[in-house]
Amino acid sequence: MTDANPEHRLHLPDLSSRNPDWWRQAVVYQVYPRSFADADGDGLGDLRGITRRLNHLAALGVDALWLSPFYPSELADGGYDVADHRDVDPRLGSLDDFDALAAEAHRLGLKVIVDLVPNHTSHRHAWFREALAAAPGSSARDRYVFRDGRGSHGELPPTDWQSVFGGSAWKRVPDGQWYLHLFAPEQPDLNWDNEEVRADFRTTLRFWSDRGVDGFRVDVAHALAKDLEEPLRDLGAPELSSEEALPRFPPGTHPFFDRDEVHEIYRDWRKILDAYRPPRMAVAEAWVQGARRVRYARPDELGQAFNFEYLKAGWDAAELRQVITDSLATASEAGASATWVLSNHDVVRHASRLMLPPGTDDNAWLLSGGHAPAVDPAEGLRRARAATLLMLALPGSSYVYQGEELGLPEVADLPFEVLQDPIWEQTGRVRKGRDGCRVPLPWTSTGPSYGFGAGGAWLPQPESFASYAVEAQDGVEGSTLELYRRALRLRRKLLEGETLTWTADSPDGVLDFTRSDGWRCVTNLSGTAVPLPPGEVLLASRPFEDGRLGPDTTVWLAP
């Protein structure tokens, strides 16, 4: 793996916040590098493109940017197939470009969080190439999960484990052994029982922390520890994916998801992260229920974990209230702050998703090109704006996905022939995948890629993106971009404490709560207008109807 010149890093100033708890109430903006901004005109976003657009994030008012993977990768899984965890993909720039990005971000008062991908590597990683060249039982293969197959000639996979992307989680190599890949075949899983693997990621944590990053987002944090004792256990549910089979096992005992042993790894990491001043933060991507997720967020582990129950909740007042109440309680139990997110690089953008009727299958909707059922973009945007103001009023950290500040909908009608997500091919072209939320951003209303770069874009942008562009919304009263800017400015002034109090007599279909210093957030999720509560209107997601709070509308009120 690439290592930097130690002399280059020894005297790097620590420009991150002196407040070690900045992350508890932060707004973090997720940048998907290949789709954010393209500086060299090759159609692929890059680090210099991000650096040139950091003023947009500073003007927006976010506290930090989280960079999805920018490491060397063949893009078998959008950059999450990492060939070197301590370098930059040459198509996206260099380590010098990363240093320039981090320095400019810190100059603008922005923290920098990088994506860490510890569950697997790319099959092009030097370790995996060494493993393929080595014999079964070698130390090189022990860094990964290699096993003999079943059947009279080893022709069957070692277990019935299924890949998250579809199909068997095992791939056979020419000498007859099989290796584990919980995701794409190009992403072999590492063996975290191997001390060399653990030591290497300690080095990686120090490498990026020494370069001044303020924290880490940990990919698939719940999958590192695996029960690899022989004989390996089947899931016993071949009709279910590995994730769907998780509830079949007592907590902490699934063969490879959310095992109790995983927490030993994060307690070890926390010692490294706390050795820096200020300590580096971390947030877990752990697709487990709240009672289990809270363990990843403990102070002696990662400190924070994504709250996917909130993302998956429907546009329903009772459901959202329960999720919010439970999420605040579990975060408090862990000594962490809650996290809130509506969109990211793996899900249908919420401007579209929140308009889908309850029970709608996202994949079926994507396969229809977004036509069955049809979604009204104007109504979707109305609901998305209301959802955003609700999220930003909640105690804790909000994670914002690039483009949602523009109100971008899902690009559901991408032609099948342009799809890049491995899910499409690995499922036999049954699941369309996540490309629709990864279409490059529009910065201008004209040009070959709406300002994304001098050339085209690696995924086609619809003509409708012209009206969503930053240029089209900048300074325009009532635009979604200006709503985000106003909301984030207000949030910094208003946000105190990490609790809320629900209003006891709110109408059906209305979420109404007061924050610790007295300001109030009211969201009408019902189908009819309701009386506007008393108080000074600070901000509303859309204009009022005759002094009443219309459907799909959020308002912030001062006492």
Side-chain angles (χ1 to χ4, degrees):
M1 290 186 179
T2 301
D3 207 343
N5 182 348
E7 294 181 0
H8 177 76
R9 306 200 316 273
L10 278 175
H11 305 293
L12 278 177
D14 186 349
L15 299 176
S16 57
S17 169
R18 296 180 183 276
N19 174 15
D21 293 329
W22 64 266
W23 50 271
R24 295 186 71 92
Q25 299 266 30
V27 176
V28 180
Y29 185 101
Q30 181 188 357
V31 172
Y32 192 73
R34 291 165 176 83
S35 298
F36 190 72
D38 173 20
D40 61 14
D42 66 353
L44 199 65
D46 46 46
L47 296 187
R48 287 191 293 121
I50 297 169
T51 304
R52 292 179 183 180
R53 295 290 189 181
L54 285 177
N55 280 326
H56 172 71
L57 303 189
L60 190 61
V62 300
D63 300 293
L65 65 149
W66 148 30
L67 293 167
S68 290
F70 49 84
Y71 312 111
S73 170
E74 66 173 322
L75 304 183
D77 181 22
Y80 284 86
D81 48 313
V82 178
D84 188 336
H85 291 82
R86 298 193 290 271
D87 203 359
V88 174
D89 191 309
R91 291 167 295 181
L92 274 65
S94 65
L95 284 169
D96 286 341
D97 291 325
F98 177 86
D99 291 340
L101 187 160
E104 178 64 5
H106 287 142
R107 187 187 72 80
L108 293 170
L110 298 166
K111 318 299 186 298
V112 179
I113 298 168
V114 299
D115 224 312
L116 195 65
V117 187
N119 179 68
H120 45 260
T121 72
S122 166
H123 66 157
R124 294 185 175 182
H125 191 285
W127 274 2
F128 195 71
R129 294 199 305 267
E130 182 183 352
L132 291 181
S138 63
S139 59
R141 290 204 174 180
D142 189 58
R143 297 175 185 138
Y144 295 90
V145 183
F146 278 85
R147 289 294 185 275
D148 294 329
R150 295 187 292 194
S152 56
H153 302 289
E155 71 278 10
L156 300 176
T159 69
D160 65 359
W161 300 352
Q162 296 292 296
S163 162
V164 173
F165 291 162
S168 174
W170 297 93
K171 182 176 175 63
R172 202 175 192 189
V173 299
D175 62 27
Q177 278 205 311
W178 300 71
Y179 69 85
L180 178 67
H181 60 89
L182 291 181
F183 294 87
E186 296 87 355
Q187 295 169 288
D189 277 50
L190 288 164
N191 171 19
W192 275 84
D193 288 341
N194 184 298
E195 179 52 36
E196 193 173 358
V197 170
R198 296 192 180 212
D200 192 74
F201 272 89
R202 294 186 195 108
T203 299
T204 297
L205 288 171
R206 294 187 180 101
F207 177 87
W208 293 110
S209 295
D210 287 346
R211 300 193 88 88
V213 307
D214 302 279
F216 299 88
R217 178 263 189 186
V218 183
D219 185 62
V220 199
H222 59 300
L224 275 58
K226 299 175 175 68
D227 179 8
L228 300 178
E229 291 293 323
E230 295 289 355
L232 298 182
R233 292 183 290 152
D234 279 338
L235 295 181
E239 76 283 2
L240 300 176
S241 71
S242 296
E243 288 182 318
E244 290 171 336
L246 184 57
R248 295 169 57 92
F249 294 85
T253 68
H254 186 281
F256 50 84
F257 279 155
D258 191 35
R259 292 188 60 78
D260 289 338
E261 304 94 291
V262 76
H263 300 286
E264 300 170 10
I265 297 169
Y266 300 132
R267 283 192 287 271
D268 181 50
W269 287 12
R270 177 45 60 190
K271 295 173 186 176
I272 295 171
L273 301 178
D274 281 352
Y276 290 85
R277 291 293 177 267
R280 278 24 180 175
M281 61 80 69
V283 57
E285 183 209 27
W287 287 89
V288 295
Q289 293 300 310
R292 295 288 299 179
R293 186 184 64 243
V294 68
R295 297 159 63 89
Y296 297 82
R298 291 178 290 199
D300 65 340
E301 295 192 31
L302 296 177
Q304 200 171 59
F306 282 130
N307 174 8
F308 294 117
E309 283 94 337
Y310 184 73
L311 183 151
K312 294 187 290 185
W315 191 242
D316 176 83
E319 182 180 359
L320 279 168
R321 176 168 174 162
Q322 190 63 57
V323 166
I324 291 167
T325 300
D326 292 346
S327 299
L328 289 172
T330 55
S332 177
E333 177 189 339
S337 59
T339 65
W340 314 103
V341 60
L342 287 165
S343 287
N344 63 32
H345 63 292
D346 282 333
V347 300
V348 171
R349 285 187 177 273
H350 69 276
S352 298
R353 188 184 72 249
L354 290 176
M355 287 305 300
L356 296 176
T360 300
D361 179 80
D362 288 359
N363 183 59
W365 179 74
L366 290 172
L367 289 173
S368 78
H371 301 301
V375 172
D376 183 334
E379 291 186 6
L381 181 56
R382 183 180 74 189
R383 190 166 285 184
R385 288 161 60 104
T388 291
L389 287 197
L390 169 61
M391 176 182 75
L392 293 177
L394 295 170
S397 296
S398 294
Y399 285 78
V400 174
Y401 180 51
Q402 65 176 43
E404 70 172 78
E405 78 277 16
L406 307 178
L408 290 184
E410 184 80 0
V411 183
D413 59 353
L414 285 173
F416 295 142
E417 62 268 19
V418 306
L419 299 181
Q420 304 286 321
D421 193 336
I423 288 176
W424 176 238
E425 293 294 343
Q426 197 160 327
T427 60
R429 301 190 172 187
V430 170
R431 289 168 56 194
K432 195 171 184 181
R434 302 158 293 178
D435 290 311
C437 66
R438 301 176 178 183
V439 175
L441 296 189
W443 294 93
T444 61
S445 299
T446 58
S449 62
Y450 300 109
F452 170 67
W458 67 280
L459 282 172
Q461 302 153 299
E463 292 182 3
S464 62
F465 266 30
S467 63
Y468 290 98
V470 174
E471 177 184 71
Q473 300 191 48
D474 185 26
V476 177
E477 182 66 25
S479 71
T480 302
L481 176 58
E482 293 300 334
L483 176 70
Y484 269 74
R485 288 172 174 171
R486 288 187 62 193
L488 292 176
R489 285 196 299 269
L490 269 173
R491 186 180 185 274
R492 286 193 176 188
K493 296 177 181 178
L494 295 171
L495 215 58
E496 293 182 9
E498 295 184 9
T499 61
L500 59 77
T501 302
W502 294 105
T503 300
D505 56 352
S506 57
D508 289 343
V510 174
L511 289 176
D512 185 348
F513 59 83
T514 302
R515 294 298 307 273
S516 57
D517 53 350
W519 69 286
R520 189 171 178 182
C521 175
V522 185
T523 301
N524 182 7
L525 296 90
S526 74
T528 59
V530 298
L532 184 65
E536 176 193 354
V537 174
L538 299 173
L539 187 61
S541 62
R542 70 183 183 109
F544 302 128
E545 302 176 358
D546 299 323
R548 294 167 67 82
L549 191 65
D552 300 335
T553 307
T554 296
V555 63
W556 293 358
L557 300 165

